[in-house]
Every structure is written in structure tokens, then in C-alpha cells.
Amino acid sequence: GDTKSGRIARADVAALCVESISYPDLTGGTTFECYDADTGAPLATVGLSNIAKKKTDSEVFVSGKERRGNTYKDLFTGLEKDSGYS
């Protein structure tokens, strides 16, 4: 389930969608959330942080599933397959 949220530009979402097609072995059968690292916050604070467009410390609220990379392949490496996907 969702535990955190953040903001991301529409152009970045579009780029992620297009690039994910190039790596079906890494992204196929996965669901992933994306946001700028310095905007991630607990769901309980999302409304306030979004209204204020506040930046956050990306290391304060870590779920352990974050992915960062210099390439899209780096970013998609390690995504977990959805349960029931074969």
C-alpha cells in the first residue's frame, strides 16, 4: 500500500512511461510510483506539503523501495513484480 507521496512534472511521467517500454524485462508486470526525491513525504502530510510546494529531505522518510539511477535502466533495476504476475 501507499505510504508516501510526492510531486513530479508531467513531462517526467511521460518520459518514464515511454522509457519503461524499452525495458520490458525490468518493468513488465510491475507497478511503480514516481516523484521527485526531494518531495517525498508521508501520506498524512501530503495535502500541506503540496499546497506549500515544500521540499523535503529525501533521506528522512525512506521506505526501502526507492530507486535512483543515472540511466532509466538503473532506475528500473530492482522493481518488484506484482503478486500473481508470471
Side-chain angles (χ1 to χ4, degrees):
D2 295 342
T3 59
K4 65 191 293 187
S5 183
R7 295 181 307 279
I8 187 169
R10 289 179 182 161
D12 292 337
V13 173
L16 281 165
C17 291
V18 170
E19 291 295 331
S20 71
I21 296 168
S22 299
Y23 301 97
D25 55 321
L26 299 175
T27 60
T30 65
T31 302
F32 57 91
E33 298 178 23
C34 52
Y35 51 85
D36 289 330
D38 62 355
T39 66
L43 284 180
T45 64
V46 168
L48 296 175
S49 64
N50 282 346
I51 290 169
K53 297 191 182 215
K54 287 176 43 178
K55 300 282 186 178
T56 60
D57 180 348
S58 61
E59 302 302 321
V60 170
F61 187 66
V62 178
S63 71
K65 295 188 177 192
E66 290 79 11
R67 295 287 171 265
R68 294 183 184 173
N70 293 320
T71 67
Y72 285 103
K73 184 176 183 180
D74 291 344
L75 189 62
F76 298 140
T77 296
L79 293 176
E80 294 178 14
K81 300 289 183 195
D82 294 338
S83 62
Y85 182 80
S86 32

